[in-house]
Amino acid sequence: MILQQISTGGCQSYLLGCGESCSAILIDPALPQLDRYLGVLAREGLRLRYVVDTHTHADHFSAAHELKDRLGVPAVMHRNSVAPYADLRLDDGDMLIFGDLRLQAIHTPGHTNDSMCLHIEDRLFTGDTLLIGGTGRTDLPTGDPDALYDSLFNIVLKLDPATQVFPAHDYKGQSSSTIGREIAENPRLQQRDRAAFAEMMQHLNLTAPDHMTEALRTNMCGGKTIEQMLAEAARKVPFMSLAELRTRLLEGGDDLIVLDVRERSAFEAGHIEGARHLPRGQLELRVNQELPDPTLRILTVCEFGKVSTLAAATLRELGFRRATALDGGMKLWREKGYPVEEGAQ
């Protein structure tokens, strides 16, 4: 069996491959590693058969939806998952077969109600149910400390102590553990009384994960992340450097419209000399009046270079084929000491 562990910060994903059939399964993929997964598959000569999320993640963005669309493979989750993009929903005990390998789902609610562990040979991919030296938290949506107690003490910890444990998260540089080691050393598992375990889990006082709201929105509903939208927009437009714009302004040409898409207060506080003002929120509504000639070259500008990228992509979709975005924004323009002017347009 081919096993590749791929880290994204503290998040862990796993590529399992059958060398005989050249087929593979990807577990808990993270969106920032999308190109890496595709590269590893190509390097190993593997074809992806399934992409599996062990649960609805609240701390990172799953790549399952994107991989499903790109490669035409089923996105797999537990049947309790609300993710609309999941094609194949597993019950406790269901198996996925790829080549000569068989991966069995074990429903282990607690961290979330759709959490499952994935068992193959002597390995257990535990998602956030069991971590190395810890467990998944139970204070996020659908978490339940009593259910986690049952999943751990009545299911997971009854497996062969030699079973290797591969969690979805590790922040201490440890790639794996074993059931036996966790029983002996994991401090949370020393609370073997149900009430004491639940009490401990309810008073961990953990901070909310970064990007939790966006992660839950995208992973539960199948929406796009802000980074995805920005990346898609960036693929549709060219960019102009700050230095190039400064040179063009000094030369005094009239073949470029600098369009500031920030809100009025930001524009009036300081903008590039000669810039025109059209807030991004009004772009589609006012573009015909403000920019009647679609053949003009338009350079969009914002504070940090992100909203202007979205605006330039929108302009191109509207037919302004020469729309360009500034590589950077007014913040960097000011930091370089380039001149600004204040007041209304």
Side-chain angles (χ1 to χ4, degrees):
M1 178 172 62
I2 299 167
L3 171 59
Q4 290 274 345
Q5 185 173 15
I6 301 169
S7 299
T8 309
C11 300
Q12 307 295 327
S13 52
Y14 303 92
L15 181 69
L16 308 180
C18 172
E20 192 69 26
S21 65
C22 297
S23 56
I25 282 181
L26 184 58
I27 300 171
D28 288 331
L31 194 57
Q33 298 284 5
L34 183 64
D35 289 337
R36 187 176 179 187
Y37 300 135
L38 298 175
V40 172
L41 286 166
R43 185 190 68 202
E44 298 293 335
L46 297 172
R47 181 174 180 180
L48 195 63
R49 296 297 185 185
Y50 301 99
V51 56
V52 188
D53 270 326
T54 55
H55 63 287
T56 300
H57 299 283
D59 52 3
H60 72 270
F61 307 116
S62 171
H65 194 186
E66 185 73 17
L67 285 165
K68 164 193 167 174
D69 289 345
R70 286 201 187 191
L71 302 181
V73 299
V76 183
M77 297 190 75
H78 186 264
R79 66 177 178 84
N80 286 348
S81 169
V82 298
Y85 56 83
D87 306 288
L88 184 57
R89 300 174 184 272
L90 302 182
D91 273 295
D92 182 61
D94 283 347
M95 286 194 308
L96 297 176
I97 299 176
F98 56 114
D100 296 331
L101 301 175
R102 284 159 172 76
L103 186 75
Q104 185 178 40
I106 304 173
H107 187 210
T108 53
H111 174 61
T112 63
N113 66 2
D114 64 346
S115 289
M116 59 182 179
C117 294
L118 302 169
H119 194 197
I120 182 170
E121 299 179 354
D122 63 344
R123 297 171 173 87
L124 185 69
F125 299 89
T126 55
D128 280 14
T129 298
L130 176 62
L131 307 178
I132 300 174
T135 66
R137 61 196 296 171
T138 58
D139 59 338
L140 299 180
T142 75
D144 182 342
D146 196 61
L148 182 62
Y149 179 91
D150 284 328
S151 294
L152 288 169
F153 290 97
N154 296 331
I155 300 174
V156 173
L157 301 183
K158 290 187 175 181
L159 296 174
D160 187 336
T163 302
Q164 297 180 65
V165 171
F166 294 91
H169 298 281
D170 179 70
Y171 301 96
K172 300 178 181 178
Q174 303 175 91
S175 60
S176 66
S177 182
T178 65
I179 295 291
R181 176 184 163 193
E182 293 309 305
I183 290 174
E185 301 178 7
N186 191 319
R188 292 191 191 174
L189 301 184
Q190 306 317 305
Q191 295 284 6
R192 291 183 169 85
D193 176 75
R194 178 186 292 272
F197 180 84
E199 177 74 11
M200 172 189 66
M201 295 302 299
Q202 289 169 347
H203 294 90
L204 293 177
N205 297 319
L206 301 173
T207 58
D210 293 339
H211 314 296
M212 183 181 76
T213 299
E214 187 179 12
L216 288 174
R217 173 179 61 78
T218 58
N219 295 335
M220 293 177 70
C221 303
K224 294 181 179 180
T225 68
I226 302 302
E227 287 300 319
Q228 279 180 294
M229 295 182 69
L230 286 168
E232 290 175 4
R235 289 195 292 266
K236 299 176 182 178
V237 301
F239 293 84
M240 181 180 292
S241 70
L242 296 170
E244 176 70 15
L245 174 58
R246 178 67 177 139
T247 298
R248 288 177 176 272
L249 293 175
L250 288 173
E251 291 175 349
D254 59 358
D255 62 338
L256 179 68
I257 294 177
V258 178
L259 188 68
D260 194 314
V261 296
R262 296 175 298 163
E263 293 302 313
R264 179 175 298 278
S265 59
F267 178 84
E268 293 182 352
H271 53 267
I272 295 171
E273 185 178 1
R276 297 174 63 172
H277 182 229
L278 179 54
R280 173 64 187 90
Q282 300 178 33
L283 184 63
E284 291 88 344
L285 299 177
R286 292 173 51 191
V287 68
N288 293 329
Q289 291 74 34
E290 301 289 338
L291 302 168
D293 186 353
T295 66
L296 295 176
R297 188 176 188 185
I298 302 168
L299 178 71
T300 57
V301 178
C302 68
E303 188 67 18
F304 300 106
K306 295 183 177 181
V307 175
S308 57
T309 301
L310 296 170
T314 298
L315 285 170
R316 290 216 161 210
E317 290 178 2
L318 291 170
F320 294 84
R321 299 302 182 188
R322 300 180 68 196
T324 304
L326 187 64
D327 182 19
M330 286 302 301
K331 182 176 185 297
L332 189 56
W333 180 272
R334 292 190 297 268
E335 289 174 356
K336 288 184 172 292
Y338 294 158
V340 298
E341 62 179 9
E342 300 178 356
Q345 180 175 306

